Amino acid sequence: MRRMLIVGIGSGDPDHLTLQAIKALQRVDVLFFIDKGAAKDELIRLRRVICEPHMTSRAYRTVIITDPPRDRRPERYEQTVRAWHEQRVAEYQRAISTELADGECGAFLVWGDPSLYDSTLRIFEKITAKGVLPLALEVIPGITSIQALAARHAICLNKIGGPVHITTGRELARCLPTESDNVVVMLDGEVTLDGVDPDATMIHWGAYVGTEHEILRSGLVRDVLPELQRVRREAREAHGWIMDTYVLSKIPQR
Ligand SMILES: C[S@@+](CC[C@H](N)C(=O)[O-])C[C@H]1O[C@@H](n2cnc3c(N)ncnc32)[C@H](O)[C@@H]1O
């Protein structure tokens, strides 16, 4: 039986790698990386910077899987993403069956935690369901970008006893913060905050949190949004990519 570790590695700070992740990495025979194109090379480099210092005790091989191309602005979002996932399933399965021998241990490194806006577990669910490539799967949790952001701003995510809604920039307009719940937004390409009340909403924002390029901003949306958008645009141009997350919190009105 082949063993496969899905290892959450935190979202940028090498010190966020857990002891459990370090122990897992030390059992790896084959480390699989996903090549997502030139602009994302930096993310493979960062994964190596975070993990390789802990992988010196034994030899391991590295395999790069080329990610199938994806339509970034599809008309039918869910269907397009599903079709793209099917292609990924085939690519992962081919790479594992040819590069990982029976009895060996492989690993995929997942940014943050595998349970949050990451397709790796869904892909492995599909591979397992097909029943043609038996795998012993082990998931190692990691620190999410949300936890890293909350720590850097020293904030609680929830109001007292209240819920926290986690969503994407695409869905924000459908779940704006109320006075009782806070909204965490990830995967937002523009940060326009359409529909958010700028005079009654606080934002805690962070880009590249935990990395050497970290940028943090917080305040009333009306006060900070224009500068935040400018800083964000400039950072994205300078690095060729950006990963940012923010928490929106409605201020109670009298
Ligand atoms: C594909 S999701 C991956 C989330 C990841 N699994 C996690 O646990 O945080 C990518 C999104 O995570 C957020 N993100 C990841 N790393 C980040 C970082 N270092 N700083 C701020 N946001 C980050 C951004 O919202 C980005 O668009």
Side-chain angles (χ1 to χ4, degrees):
M1 174 83 99
R2 295 169 170 95
R3 183 164 291 280
M4 186 58 73
L5 310 177
I6 313 294
V7 186
I9 61 164
S11 40
D13 185 337
D15 285 351
H16 285 175
L17 205 61
T18 66
L19 289 176
Q20 191 185 20
I22 291 171
K23 285 184 194 164
L25 291 172
Q26 288 167 351
R27 291 155 50 204
V28 169
D29 298 300
V30 181
L31 197 52
F32 291 89
F33 287 104
I34 314 300
D35 177 1
K36 297 188 174 184
K40 301 274 173 79
D41 278 358
E42 177 65 1
L43 292 177
I44 293 190
R45 188 190 71 80
L46 281 171
R47 280 175 167 78
R48 286 186 184 276
V49 166
I50 291 171
C51 295
E52 286 182 344
H54 304 286
M55 300 179 72
T56 51
S57 56
R58 67 198 293 253
Y60 64 93
R61 311 187 294 283
T62 295
V63 171
I64 309 240
I65 302 174
T66 305
D67 213 19
R70 173 181 166 191
D71 181 356
R72 289 276 153 195
R73 294 188 189 276
E75 269 176 34
R76 287 195 267 173
Y77 182 79
E78 264 197 53
Q79 267 172 290
T80 310
V81 171
R82 266 183 223 284
W84 176 61
H85 281 181
E86 286 304 330
Q87 286 179 281
R88 287 178 125 189
V89 169
E91 284 301 315
Y92 280 41
Q93 195 172 311
R94 188 195 52 71
I96 295 165
S97 52
T98 55
E99 304 287 352
L100 187 70
D102 200 21
E104 284 192 317
C105 177
F108 280 75
L109 307 178
V110 174
W111 199 254
D113 183 80
S115 67
L116 189 66
Y117 291 116
D118 187 274
S119 54
T120 311
L121 289 180
R122 282 186 229 283
I123 289 169
F124 277 95
E125 204 178 289
K126 289 203 167 128
I127 292 175
T128 307
K130 284 185 177 183
V132 290
L133 180 63
L135 285 173
L137 208 62
E138 241 181 89
V139 180
I140 317 290
I143 292 183
T144 68
S145 49
I146 299 177
Q147 292 164 289
L149 177 78
R152 294 295 289 129
H153 282 291
I155 53 167
C156 283
L157 289 173
N158 60 291
K159 290 182 172 154
I160 295 173
V164 178
H165 199 114
I166 301 174
T167 190
T168 63
R170 183 184 291 272
E171 293 293 315
L172 173 59
R174 291 204 302 137
C175 41
L176 296 167
T178 67
E179 288 184 11
S180 61
D181 69 343
N182 287 348
V183 176
V184 178
V185 186
M186 306 175 76
L187 291 160
D188 188 347
E190 301 301 332
V191 190
T192 50
L193 304 192
D194 294 339
V196 170
D197 180 350
D199 295 308
T201 312
M202 289 288 293
I203 183 169
H204 289 87
W205 175 84
Y208 317 99
V209 176
T211 76
E212 58 189 334
H213 304 305
E214 177 177 283
I215 315 171
L216 301 171
R217 290 288 185 279
S218 63
L220 196 62
V221 168
R222 168 157 320 282
D223 297 337
V224 297
L225 189 60
E227 200 253 346
L228 187 159
Q229 287 171 328
R230 180 186 58 75
V231 167
R232 186 180 190 278
R233 207 171 35 247
E234 288 172 2
R236 183 161 58 181
E237 275 168 27
H239 302 302
W241 61 282
I242 190 162
M243 284 211 282
D244 57 343
T245 300
Y246 52 92
V247 183
L248 296 173
S249 178
K250 189 110 186 264
I251 300 166
Q253 306 292 293
R254 286 164 190 255

